[in-house]
Coordinates of all heavy atoms in Angstrom, one line a residue:
M16 N 40.1 0.4 -11.3 CA 40.5 1.7 -11.6 C 41.7 2.1 -10.6 O 41.5 2.4 -9.5 CB 39.3 2.7 -11.3 CG 39.3 3.9 -12.1 SD 37.8 4.8 -12.0 CE 36.6 3.7 -12.7
Q17 N 42.9 2.0 -11.1 CA 44.1 2.1 -10.3 C 44.2 3.5 -9.7 O 44.0 4.5 -10.4 CB 45.3 1.7 -11.1 CG 46.5 1.5 -10.2 CD 47.7 1.0 -11.0 OE1 47.6 0.8 -12.2 NE2 48.8 0.6 -10.3
G18 N 44.5 3.5 -8.4 CA 44.7 4.8 -7.8 C 43.4 5.5 -7.3 O 43.4 6.6 -6.8
F19 N 42.3 4.8 -7.5 CA 41.0 5.4 -7.1 C 40.3 4.4 -6.2 O 40.6 3.2 -6.1 CB 40.1 5.6 -8.4 CG 40.5 6.8 -9.2 CD1 41.6 6.7 -10.0 CD2 39.7 7.9 -9.2 CE1 41.9 7.8 -10.8 CE2 40.1 9.0 -9.9 CZ 41.2 9.0 -10.7
V20 N 39.4 5.0 -5.3 CA 38.7 4.3 -4.4 C 37.2 4.5 -4.6 O 36.8 5.6 -4.8 CB 39.1 4.7 -2.9 CG1 38.3 3.9 -1.9 CG2 40.6 4.5 -2.7
K21 N 36.4 3.4 -4.6 CA 35.0 3.6 -4.7 C 34.4 4.1 -3.4 O 34.6 3.6 -2.4 CB 34.3 2.2 -5.0 CG 32.9 2.3 -5.5 CD 32.2 1.0 -5.6 CE 32.9 -0.1 -6.1 NZ 32.1 -1.4 -6.2
V22 N 33.6 5.2 -3.6 CA 33.2 5.9 -2.3 C 31.7 6.1 -2.2 O 31.2 6.4 -1.2 CB 33.8 7.3 -2.3 CG1 35.3 7.2 -2.0 CG2 33.6 8.2 -3.5
A23 N 31.0 5.9 -3.3 CA 29.5 6.1 -3.3 C 28.8 5.5 -4.5 O 29.5 5.1 -5.5 CB 29.2 7.6 -3.2
K24 N 27.5 5.4 -4.4 CA 26.7 5.1 -5.6 C 26.1 6.4 -6.1 O 25.8 7.3 -5.3 CB 25.6 4.1 -5.2 CG 26.1 2.7 -4.7 CD 26.5 1.9 -5.9 CE 26.8 0.5 -5.5 NZ 27.4 -0.2 -6.7
M25 N 26.0 6.4 -7.4 CA 25.4 7.7 -8.0 C 24.1 8.1 -7.4 O 23.9 9.3 -7.1 CB 25.2 7.4 -9.5 CG 26.5 7.5 -10.3 SD 26.6 9.0 -11.3 CE 25.2 9.1 -12.2
H26 N 23.2 7.1 -7.1 CA 21.9 7.5 -6.6 C 22.0 8.0 -5.1 O 21.0 8.6 -4.7 CB 20.9 6.3 -6.7 CG 21.3 5.1 -5.8 ND1 22.1 4.0 -6.2 CD2 21.1 4.9 -4.5 CE1 22.2 3.2 -5.2 NE2 21.6 3.7 -4.2
E27 N 23.1 7.8 -4.5 CA 23.3 8.4 -3.1 C 23.6 9.9 -3.2 O 23.5 10.6 -2.2 CB 24.4 7.7 -2.4 CG 24.2 6.3 -2.1 CD 25.5 5.7 -1.4 OE1 26.6 6.2 -1.6 OE2 25.3 4.7 -0.7
L28 N 24.1 10.3 -4.3 CA 24.7 11.6 -4.5 C 23.9 12.3 -5.7 O 24.5 12.5 -6.7 CB 26.2 11.5 -4.8 CG 27.1 11.6 -3.6 CD1 28.5 11.3 -4.0 CD2 27.0 12.9 -2.9
T29 N 22.7 12.6 -5.5 CA 21.9 13.3 -6.5 C 22.4 14.7 -6.5 O 23.0 15.2 -5.6 CB 20.4 13.2 -6.2 OG1 20.2 13.7 -4.8 CG2 19.9 11.7 -6.3
P30 N 22.1 15.5 -7.6 CA 22.5 16.8 -7.7 C 22.2 17.7 -6.5 O 21.0 17.6 -6.0 CB 21.7 17.4 -8.9 CG 21.6 16.1 -9.8 CD 21.4 15.0 -8.8
G31 N 23.1 18.4 -5.9 CA 23.0 19.2 -4.7 C 23.4 18.4 -3.5 O 23.5 19.0 -2.4
E32 N 23.6 17.1 -3.6 CA 24.0 16.3 -2.4 C 25.5 16.4 -2.2 O 26.3 16.7 -3.1 CB 23.6 14.9 -2.6 CG 22.1 14.7 -2.6 CD 21.5 15.0 -1.2 OE1 22.1 14.6 -0.2 OE2 20.4 15.5 -1.2
R33 N 25.9 16.0 -1.0 CA 27.4 15.9 -0.7 C 27.6 14.7 0.2 O 26.6 14.2 0.9 CB 27.8 17.1 0.0 CG 27.1 17.3 1.3 CD 27.3 18.6 1.9 NE 26.4 19.6 1.4 CZ 26.3 20.9 1.8 NH1 27.0 21.3 2.8 NH2 25.5 21.7 1.3
K34 N 28.8 14.2 0.3 CA 29.1 13.1 1.1 C 30.5 13.2 1.6 O 31.4 13.6 0.9 CB 29.0 11.8 0.3 CG 29.3 10.5 1.2 CD 29.1 9.3 0.4 CE 29.4 8.1 1.3 NZ 29.1 6.8 0.7
L35 N 30.7 12.9 2.9 CA 32.0 12.9 3.5 C 32.6 11.5 3.6 O 31.9 10.6 4.0 CB 32.0 13.5 4.9 CG 33.3 13.6 5.7 CD1 34.3 14.5 5.0 CD2 33.0 14.0 7.1
V36 N 33.8 11.4 3.1 CA 34.5 10.1 3.3 C 35.8 10.3 3.9 O 36.4 11.4 3.8 CB 34.6 9.3 1.9 CG1 33.3 9.0 1.3 CG2 35.5 10.1 1.0
E37 N 36.4 9.3 4.4 CA 37.8 9.4 5.0 C 38.6 8.3 4.3 O 38.3 7.2 4.4 CB 37.8 9.3 6.5 CG 39.1 9.6 7.1 CD 39.1 9.8 8.6 OE1 38.0 10.2 9.1 OE2 40.1 9.5 9.3
L38 N 39.7 8.8 3.6 CA 40.6 7.8 3.0 C 42.0 8.0 3.5 O 42.5 9.1 3.4 CB 40.5 8.1 1.4 CG 39.2 7.9 0.7 CD1 39.3 8.3 -0.7 CD2 38.7 6.5 0.9
E39 N 42.5 7.0 4.0 CA 43.9 7.0 4.5 C 44.1 8.2 5.5 O 45.1 8.9 5.4 CB 44.9 7.1 3.4 CG 44.7 5.9 2.4 CD 45.5 5.9 1.2 OE1 46.7 6.4 1.3 OE2 45.1 5.5 0.2
G40 N 43.1 8.5 6.3 CA 43.2 9.5 7.3 C 42.9 10.9 6.8 O 42.9 11.9 7.5
V41 N 42.5 11.0 5.5 CA 42.2 12.3 4.9 C 40.7 12.4 4.7 O 40.1 11.6 4.1 CB 42.9 12.5 3.5 CG1 42.6 13.8 2.9 CG2 44.4 12.4 3.7
R42 N 40.1 13.5 5.2 CA 38.7 13.7 5.1 C 38.4 14.4 3.7 O 39.0 15.5 3.5 CB 38.2 14.6 6.2 CG 38.2 14.0 7.6 CD 38.0 15.0 8.7 NE 36.9 15.9 8.5 CZ 35.7 15.8 9.1 NH1 35.5 14.8 9.9 NH2 34.7 16.6 8.8
I43 N 37.6 13.8 2.9 CA 37.3 14.3 1.6 C 35.8 14.5 1.4 O 35.0 13.6 1.7 CB 37.8 13.3 0.5 CG1 39.4 13.2 0.7 CG2 37.5 13.8 -0.9 CD1 40.0 12.2 -0.3
A44 N 35.4 15.7 1.0 CA 34.0 16.0 0.7 C 33.8 15.9 -0.8 O 34.4 16.5 -1.6 CB 33.7 17.4 1.2
I45 N 32.7 15.1 -1.1 CA 32.4 14.9 -2.5 C 31.1 15.5 -2.7 O 30.1 15.4 -2.0 CB 32.3 13.3 -2.8 CG1 33.6 12.7 -2.4 CG2 31.9 13.1 -4.2 CD1 33.5 11.2 -2.2
F46 N 31.0 16.3 -3.8 CA 29.8 17.1 -4.2 C 29.3 16.7 -5.5 O 30.1 16.4 -6.5 CB 30.1 18.6 -4.2 CG 30.5 19.1 -2.9 CD1 31.9 19.0 -2.4 CD2 29.6 19.7 -2.0 CE1 32.3 19.6 -1.2 CE2 30.0 20.2 -0.8 CZ 31.3 20.2 -0.4
N47 N 28.0 16.7 -5.7 CA 27.4 16.6 -7.0 C 26.8 18.0 -7.3 O 25.8 18.5 -6.7 CB 26.2 15.6 -7.0 CG 25.6 15.4 -8.3 OD1 25.6 16.4 -9.2 ND2 24.9 14.3 -8.6
L48 N 27.5 18.7 -8.3 CA 27.0 20.0 -8.7 C 26.3 19.9 -10.0 O 27.0 19.7 -11.1 CB 28.2 21.0 -8.8 CG 28.9 21.3 -7.5 CD1 30.0 22.3 -7.8 CD2 28.0 21.9 -6.5
D49 N 25.0 19.9 -10.1 CA 24.3 19.8 -11.3 C 24.7 18.6 -12.2 O 24.9 18.7 -13.4 CB 24.4 21.1 -12.1 CG 23.8 22.3 -11.4 OD1 22.8 22.1 -10.7 OD2 24.4 23.4 -11.5
G50 N 25.0 17.5 -11.5 CA 25.4 16.3 -12.3 C 26.9 16.0 -12.4 O 27.3 15.0 -12.9
D51 N 27.7 17.0 -12.1 CA 29.1 16.8 -12.2 C 29.7 16.6 -10.8 O 29.2 17.3 -9.8 CB 29.8 18.0 -12.8 CG 29.4 18.2 -14.3 OD1 29.3 17.1 -15.0 OD2 29.1 19.3 -14.7
F52 N 30.6 15.7 -10.6 CA 31.2 15.4 -9.3 C 32.5 16.0 -9.1 O 33.4 16.1 -10.0 CB 31.3 13.9 -9.2 CG 30.0 13.2 -9.1 CD1 29.3 12.8 -10.3 CD2 29.3 12.9 -7.9 CE1 28.1 12.2 -10.3 CE2 28.1 12.3 -7.9 CZ 27.5 11.9 -9.1
Y53 N 32.7 16.5 -7.8 CA 34.0 17.1 -7.4 C 34.3 16.6 -6.0 O 33.4 16.3 -5.2 CB 33.8 18.6 -7.4 CG 33.4 19.2 -8.8 CD1 32.1 19.4 -9.1 CD2 34.4 19.4 -9.7 CE1 31.8 19.9 -10.4 CE2 34.1 19.9 -11.0 CZ 32.7 20.2 -11.3 OH 32.4 20.6 -12.5
A54 N 35.6 16.6 -5.7 CA 36.0 16.2 -4.4 C 37.1 17.2 -3.9 O 38.0 17.5 -4.7 CB 36.6 14.8 -4.4
I55 N 36.9 17.7 -2.7 CA 37.9 18.6 -2.1 C 38.2 18.1 -0.7 O 37.4 17.4 -0.1 CB 37.4 20.0 -2.0 CG1 36.1 20.1 -1.1 CG2 37.2 20.7 -3.4 CD1 35.7 21.6 -0.9
E56 N 39.4 18.4 -0.2 CA 39.7 18.1 1.2 C 38.8 18.8 2.1 O 38.6 20.1 1.9 CB 41.2 18.4 1.5 CG 41.6 17.8 2.8 CD 43.1 17.9 3.1 OE1 43.8 18.3 2.2 OE2 43.5 17.4 4.2
D57 N 38.3 18.2 3.1 CA 37.3 18.8 4.0 C 37.9 19.5 5.1 O 37.6 19.4 6.3 CB 36.4 17.6 4.6 CG 35.3 18.2 5.4 OD1 34.7 19.2 5.0 OD2 35.0 17.6 6.5
V58 N 38.8 20.4 4.7 CA 39.6 21.2 5.7 C 39.7 22.6 5.2 O 40.4 22.9 4.1 CB 41.0 20.6 5.9 CG1 41.8 21.5 6.9 CG2 40.9 19.2 6.5
C59 N 39.1 23.6 5.9 CA 39.2 25.0 5.5 C 40.7 25.4 5.8 O 41.2 25.1 6.9 CB 38.2 25.8 6.3 SG 38.5 27.6 6.0
T60 N 41.3 26.1 4.9 CA 42.7 26.4 5.1 C 42.9 27.6 6.0 O 44.0 28.0 6.3 CB 43.3 26.8 3.7 OG1 42.6 27.8 3.1 CG2 43.4 25.5 2.8
H61 N 41.8 28.2 6.5 CA 41.9 29.3 7.5 C 42.2 28.7 8.8 O 43.2 29.0 9.5 CB 40.6 30.1 7.5 CG 40.6 31.1 8.7 ND1 39.7 31.1 9.6 CD2 41.6 32.0 9.1 CE1 40.0 32.0 10.5 NE2 41.1 32.6 10.2
D62 N 41.3 27.8 9.3 CA 41.5 27.2 10.7 C 40.9 25.8 10.8 O 40.4 25.5 11.9 CB 40.8 28.2 11.7 CG 41.3 27.9 13.1 OD1 42.4 27.3 13.3 OD2 40.5 28.2 14.0
G63 N 40.9 25.1 9.7 CA 40.5 23.7 9.7 C 39.0 23.4 9.8 O 38.6 22.3 10.2
G64 N 38.2 24.4 9.5 CA 36.7 24.2 9.5 C 36.3 23.0 8.6 O 36.9 22.8 7.5
P65 N 35.2 22.4 8.9 CA 34.6 21.3 8.1 C 33.8 21.8 6.9 O 32.6 22.1 7.1 CB 33.8 20.5 9.1 CG 33.3 21.5 10.1 CD 34.4 22.6 10.1
L66 N 34.4 21.9 5.8 CA 33.7 22.5 4.6 C 32.4 21.8 4.2 O 31.5 22.4 3.8 CB 34.7 22.6 3.4 CG 35.9 23.5 3.6 CD1 36.8 23.4 2.4 CD2 35.5 24.9 3.9
V67 N 32.4 20.5 4.4 CA 31.2 19.7 4.0 C 30.0 20.1 4.8 O 28.9 19.9 4.3 CB 31.5 18.2 4.2 CG1 31.4 17.8 5.7 CG2 30.5 17.3 3.4
E68 N 30.2 20.8 5.9 CA 29.0 21.3 6.7 C 28.6 22.7 6.3 O 27.6 23.2 6.9 CB 29.3 21.2 8.2 CG 29.6 19.8 8.7 CD 30.0 19.8 10.1 OE1 29.8 20.8 10.8 OE2 30.6 18.8 10.5
G69 N 29.2 23.3 5.3 CA 28.9 24.6 4.9 C 27.8 24.7 3.9 O 27.3 23.7 3.4
D70 N 27.4 25.9 3.6 CA 26.3 26.1 2.6 C 26.9 26.1 1.2 O 28.0 26.7 1.0 CB 25.6 27.5 2.8 CG 24.9 27.6 4.2 OD1 24.3 26.5 4.6 OD2 24.9 28.6 4.8
V71 N 26.2 25.5 0.3 CA 26.6 25.5 -1.1 C 26.0 26.7 -1.7 O 24.7 26.9 -1.6 CB 26.3 24.2 -1.9 CG1 26.6 24.4 -3.4 CG2 27.0 23.0 -1.3
L72 N 26.8 27.6 -2.4 CA 26.2 28.8 -2.9 C 26.2 28.7 -4.4 O 26.8 27.8 -5.0 CB 27.1 30.0 -2.5 CG 27.5 30.1 -1.0 CD1 28.5 31.2 -0.7 CD2 26.2 30.4 -0.2
E73 N 25.6 29.7 -5.1 CA 25.6 29.7 -6.5 C 27.0 29.8 -7.1 O 27.9 30.3 -6.4 CB 24.8 30.9 -7.0 CG 23.3 30.8 -6.7 CD 22.4 31.5 -7.7 OE1 23.0 31.9 -8.8 OE2 21.3 31.7 -7.4
G74 N 27.2 29.2 -8.2 CA 28.5 29.2 -8.9 C 29.4 28.2 -8.3 O 30.6 28.3 -8.6
G75 N 28.9 27.2 -7.6 CA 29.7 26.1 -7.2 C 30.6 26.5 -6.0 O 31.7 25.9 -5.9
Q76 N 30.2 27.4 -5.2 CA 31.0 27.8 -4.0 C 30.5 27.1 -2.8 O 29.3 26.8 -2.6 CB 30.9 29.3 -3.8 CG 31.5 30.0 -5.0 CD 31.4 31.5 -4.8 OE1 31.3 32.0 -3.7 NE2 31.5 32.3 -5.9
I77 N 31.4 26.9 -1.8 CA 31.0 26.4 -0.5 C 31.5 27.4 0.5 O 32.6 28.0 0.4 CB 31.6 25.0 -0.2 CG1 31.1 24.4 1.1 CG2 33.1 25.0 -0.2 CD1 29.9 23.6 1.0
R78 N 30.6 27.7 1.5 CA 31.0 28.7 2.5 C 31.4 27.9 3.8 O 30.5 27.1 4.4 CB 29.9 29.6 2.8 CG 30.2 30.6 3.9 CD 29.2 31.8 4.0 NE 27.8 31.4 3.8 CZ 26.9 32.1 3.1 NH1 27.2 33.2 2.6 NH2 25.7 31.7 3.0
C79 N 32.5 28.2 4.3 CA 33.0 27.5 5.6 C 32.0 27.9 6.7 O 31.7 29.0 6.9 CB 34.4 27.9 5.9 SG 35.0 27.2 7.5
P80 N 31.6 26.8 7.5 CA 30.6 27.1 8.5 C 31.2 27.9 9.7 O 30.5 28.4 10.6 CB 30.1 25.7 8.9 CG 31.2 24.8 8.6 CD 31.9 25.4 7.3
R81 N 32.5 27.9 9.8 CA 33.1 28.6 11.0 C 33.2 30.1 10.8 O 32.6 30.8 11.6 CB 34.6 28.1 11.2 CG 34.5 26.7 11.8 CD 35.7 26.4 12.7 NE 35.7 25.1 13.2 CZ 36.7 24.3 13.3 NH1 37.9 24.7 12.9 NH2 36.6 23.0 13.7
H82 N 33.9 30.6 9.8 CA 34.1 32.1 9.7 C 33.7 32.6 8.4 O 34.0 33.8 8.1 CB 35.5 32.5 10.1 CG 36.1 31.8 11.3 ND1 37.0 30.8 11.3 CD2 35.7 32.0 12.6 CE1 37.3 30.5 12.5 NE2 36.5 31.2 13.3
G83 N 33.1 31.8 7.5 CA 32.5 32.3 6.3 C 33.4 32.3 5.0 O 33.0 32.8 4.0
A84 N 34.6 31.8 5.1 CA 35.5 31.9 3.9 C 34.8 31.0 2.8 O 34.1 30.0 3.1 CB 36.9 31.3 4.1
R85 N 34.9 31.5 1.6 CA 34.3 30.8 0.4 C 35.3 30.1 -0.4 O 36.4 30.7 -0.6 CB 33.4 31.7 -0.4 CG 32.2 32.2 0.3 CD 31.4 33.2 -0.6 NE 32.0 34.5 -0.7 CZ 32.6 34.9 -1.8 NH1 32.6 34.2 -2.9 NH2 33.2 36.1 -1.7
F86 N 35.0 28.9 -0.9 CA 35.9 28.1 -1.8 C 35.2 27.7 -3.0 O 34.0 27.4 -2.9 CB 36.4 26.9 -1.0 CG 37.4 27.2 0.1 CD1 36.8 27.5 1.4 CD2 38.7 27.2 -0.1 CE1 37.7 27.7 2.4 CE2 39.6 27.4 1.0 CZ 39.1 27.7 2.2
D87 N 35.9 27.6 -4.1 CA 35.3 27.0 -5.3 C 35.4 25.5 -5.2 O 36.5 25.0 -5.1 CB 36.1 27.6 -6.5 CG 35.5 27.2 -7.9 OD1 35.0 26.0 -8.0 OD2 35.5 28.0 -8.8
I88 N 34.3 24.9 -5.2 CA 34.3 23.4 -5.1 C 35.0 22.7 -6.3 O 35.5 21.7 -6.1 CB 32.8 22.9 -5.0 CG1 32.2 23.4 -3.6 CG2 32.7 21.4 -5.1 CD1 30.7 23.1 -3.5
R89 N 35.0 23.4 -7.4 CA 35.5 22.7 -8.6 C 37.1 22.8 -8.6 O 37.7 21.9 -9.2 CB 35.0 23.4 -9.9 CG 33.5 23.2 -10.0 CD 32.9 24.1 -11.0 NE 33.0 25.5 -10.4 CZ 32.3 26.5 -10.8 NH1 31.5 26.4 -11.8 NH2 32.5 27.7 -10.2
T90 N 37.6 23.9 -8.0 CA 39.1 24.1 -8.1 C 39.8 24.0 -6.8 O 41.0 24.0 -6.7 CB 39.4 25.4 -8.8 OG1 38.9 26.5 -7.9 CG2 38.7 25.5 -10.1
G91 N 39.0 24.2 -5.7 CA 39.6 24.3 -4.3 C 40.1 25.7 -4.0 O 40.5 25.9 -2.9
Q92 N 40.0 26.6 -5.0 CA 40.5 27.9 -4.8 C 39.8 28.7 -3.6 O 38.6 28.6 -3.6 CB 40.3 28.7 -6.1 CG 41.2 29.9 -6.2 CD 42.7 29.6 -6.3 OE1 43.1 28.7 -6.9 NE2 43.5 30.4 -5.6
A93 N 40.6 29.3 -2.8 CA 40.0 30.2 -1.8 C 39.5 31.5 -2.5 O 40.2 32.1 -3.2 CB 41.0 30.5 -0.7
L94 N 38.2 31.9 -2.2 CA 37.6 33.0 -2.9 C 37.4 34.2 -2.0 O 37.1 35.3 -2.5 CB 36.3 32.6 -3.5 CG 36.4 31.5 -4.5 CD1 35.0 31.0 -5.0 CD2 37.2 31.9 -5.8
S95 N 37.5 34.0 -0.7 CA 37.3 35.2 0.2 C 38.0 35.0 1.5 O 38.3 33.8 1.9 CB 35.8 35.4 0.4 OG 35.3 34.4 1.3
M96 N 38.3 36.1 2.1 CA 38.9 36.0 3.5 C 37.9 35.4 4.4 O 36.7 35.4 4.2 CB 39.2 37.4 3.9 CG 40.3 38.0 3.1 SD 41.0 39.6 3.6 CE 40.1 40.1 5.0
P97 N 38.4 34.8 5.5 CA 39.8 34.8 6.0 C 40.7 33.7 5.5 O 41.8 33.6 6.0 CB 39.6 34.7 7.5 CG 38.4 33.9 7.7 CD 37.5 34.3 6.5
A98 N 40.3 33.0 4.4 CA 41.1 32.0 3.9 C 41.9 32.6 2.7 O 41.3 33.3 1.9 CB 40.3 30.8 3.4
F99 N 43.1 32.2 2.5 CA 43.9 32.7 1.4 C 44.4 31.5 0.5 O 44.6 31.6 -0.7 CB 45.1 33.4 1.9 CG 44.8 34.7 2.6 CD1 44.8 34.7 3.9 CD2 44.5 35.8 1.8 CE1 44.4 35.9 4.6 CE2 44.1 37.0 2.5 CZ 44.1 37.1 3.9
S100 N 44.6 30.4 1.1 CA 45.2 29.2 0.4 C 44.1 28.3 -0.1 O 43.1 28.1 0.6 CB 46.2 28.4 1.3 OG 47.2 29.3 1.8
P101 N 44.3 27.6 -1.2 CA 43.3 26.7 -1.7 C 43.3 25.4 -0.8 O 44.3 25.1 -0.2 CB 43.8 26.3 -3.1 CG 45.3 26.6 -3.1 CD 45.5 27.7 -2.1
T102 N 42.2 24.7 -0.9 CA 42.1 23.4 -0.3 C 42.4 22.4 -1.4 O 42.2 22.7 -2.6 CB 40.8 23.1 0.4 OG1 40.9 22.0 1.2 CG2 39.6 23.0 -0.6
A103 N 42.9 21.2 -1.0 CA 43.2 20.2 -2.0 C 42.0 19.7 -2.8 O 40.9 19.6 -2.2 CB 44.0 19.0 -1.4
T104 N 42.2 19.3 -4.0 CA 41.2 18.7 -4.8 C 41.6 17.3 -5.2 O 42.8 17.0 -5.3 CB 40.9 19.5 -6.1 OG1 42.1 19.6 -6.9 CG2 40.4 20.9 -5.8
Y105 N 40.6 16.5 -5.5 CA 40.8 15.1 -5.9 C 40.0 14.8 -7.1 O 38.8 15.2 -7.2 CB 40.5 14.1 -4.8 CG 41.4 14.4 -3.6 CD1 40.9 15.3 -2.5 CD2 42.7 13.9 -3.4 CE1 41.7 15.6 -1.4 CE2 43.5 14.2 -2.4 CZ 43.0 15.1 -1.4 OH 43.7 15.4 -0.3
E106 N 40.5 14.1 -8.0 CA 39.8 13.7 -9.2 C 38.7 12.7 -8.9 O 38.9 11.8 -8.1 CB 40.7 13.1 -10.3 CG 40.1 12.9 -11.6 CD 41.0 12.3 -12.6 OE1 42.3 12.4 -12.4 OE2 40.5 11.7 -13.6
V107 N 37.5 12.9 -9.6 CA 36.4 12.0 -9.4 C 36.1 11.3 -10.7 O 36.1 12.0 -11.7 CB 35.2 12.7 -8.8 CG1 34.0 11.7 -8.6 CG2 35.5 13.4 -7.5
Q108 N 35.8 10.0 -10.7 CA 35.4 9.4 -11.9 C 34.1 8.6 -11.6 O 33.9 8.1 -10.5 CB 36.5 8.4 -12.4 CG 37.7 9.2 -12.9 CD 38.6 8.4 -13.7 OE1 38.4 7.2 -14.0 NE2 39.7 9.0 -14.1
V109 N 33.2 8.5 -12.6 CA 32.0 7.7 -12.5 C 32.1 6.6 -13.4 O 32.4 6.7 -14.6 CB 30.8 8.6 -12.8 CG1 29.5 7.8 -12.7 CG2 30.7 9.8 -11.8
D110 N 31.7 5.4 -12.9 CA 31.7 4.2 -13.7 C 30.4 3.4 -13.5 O 30.3 2.8 -12.4 CB 33.0 3.3 -13.4 CG 33.0 2.0 -14.2 OD1 32.5 2.1 -15.4 OD2 33.5 1.0 -13.8
G111 N 29.5 3.5 -14.4 CA 28.2 2.9 -14.1 C 27.5 3.7 -13.0 O 27.4 4.9 -13.1
D112 N 27.2 3.0 -11.9 CA 26.5 3.6 -10.8 C 27.5 3.9 -9.7 O 27.1 4.3 -8.6 CB 25.4 2.6 -10.2 CG 24.5 3.4 -9.2 OD1 24.2 4.5 -9.4 OD2 24.2 2.7 -8.2
D113 N 28.8 3.7 -9.9 CA 29.8 3.8 -8.9 C 30.6 5.1 -9.1 O 30.9 5.5 -10.2 CB 30.8 2.7 -9.0 CG 30.2 1.3 -8.7 OD1 29.2 1.3 -7.8 OD2 30.6 0.3 -9.2
V114 N 30.8 5.8 -7.9 CA 31.6 7.0 -7.9 C 32.9 6.7 -7.2 O 32.9 6.1 -6.1 CB 30.8 8.1 -7.1 CG1 31.7 9.4 -7.0 CG2 29.4 8.4 -7.7
W115 N 34.0 7.1 -7.9 CA 35.3 6.8 -7.4 C 36.0 8.1 -7.2 O 35.8 9.0 -8.0 CB 36.1 6.0 -8.5 CG 35.5 4.6 -8.8 CD1 34.4 4.4 -9.5 CD2 36.1 3.4 -8.5 NE1 34.2 3.0 -9.7 CE2 35.2 2.4 -9.0 CE3 37.2 2.9 -7.8 CZ2 35.5 1.0 -8.9 CZ3 37.5 1.6 -7.7 CH2 36.6 0.6 -8.2
V116 N 36.9 8.1 -6.2 CA 37.7 9.3 -6.0 C 39.2 8.9 -5.9 O 39.5 7.8 -5.5 CB 37.2 10.1 -4.7 CG1 37.6 9.3 -3.5 CG2 37.9 11.4 -4.7
E117 N 40.0 9.8 -6.4 CA 41.4 9.6 -6.4 C 41.9 9.4 -5.0 O 41.6 10.2 -4.1 CB 42.0 10.9 -7.1 CG 43.5 10.9 -7.1 CD 44.0 12.3 -7.6 OE1 43.2 13.2 -7.7 OE2 45.2 12.4 -7.8
A118 N 42.7 8.4 -4.8 CA 43.3 8.2 -3.5 C 44.2 9.3 -3.1 O 45.0 9.8 -4.0 CB 44.0 6.8 -3.4
P119 N 44.2 9.8 -1.9 CA 45.0 11.0 -1.5 C 46.5 10.7 -1.5 O 47.3 11.6 -1.6 CB 44.5 11.4 -0.1 CG 43.8 10.2 0.4 CD 43.3 9.4 -0.8
F120 N 46.9 9.4 -1.4 CA 48.4 9.1 -1.4 C 48.7 8.0 -2.4 O 47.9 7.3 -2.8 CB 48.8 8.6 0.0 CG 48.6 9.7 1.1 CD1 47.6 9.5 2.0 CD2 49.3 10.8 1.1 CE1 47.3 10.5 3.0 CE2 49.1 11.8 2.0 CZ 48.1 11.6 3.0
Ligands
FES217 S1 37.9 27.9 9.7 FE1 37.0 28.3 7.8 S2 36.8 30.4 7.7 FE2 37.8 30.1 9.5

């Protein structure tokens, strides 16, 4: 799968689970939301908070553990202050039991 990196097995990432990986120096948080996989850069655009450590809220949102900004895990969009800019998203593909994420570069 060109341009993608294998990052997990499906059974490691059951619905509601998350995993942090680092690819080429970029921290990427991978989420399983009700069976669908998403990947966002693990950097809050307010002040660099580790999004993977936040609470997952209804509607596929993650709340930054530092100051509470909310982001849409599916789109990376910032949904509340104090963050205004989106965080990067990466495509995720599943092949058999393997979860692959788009390489950041
Ligand atoms: S670092 Fe995330 S809300 Fe401030």
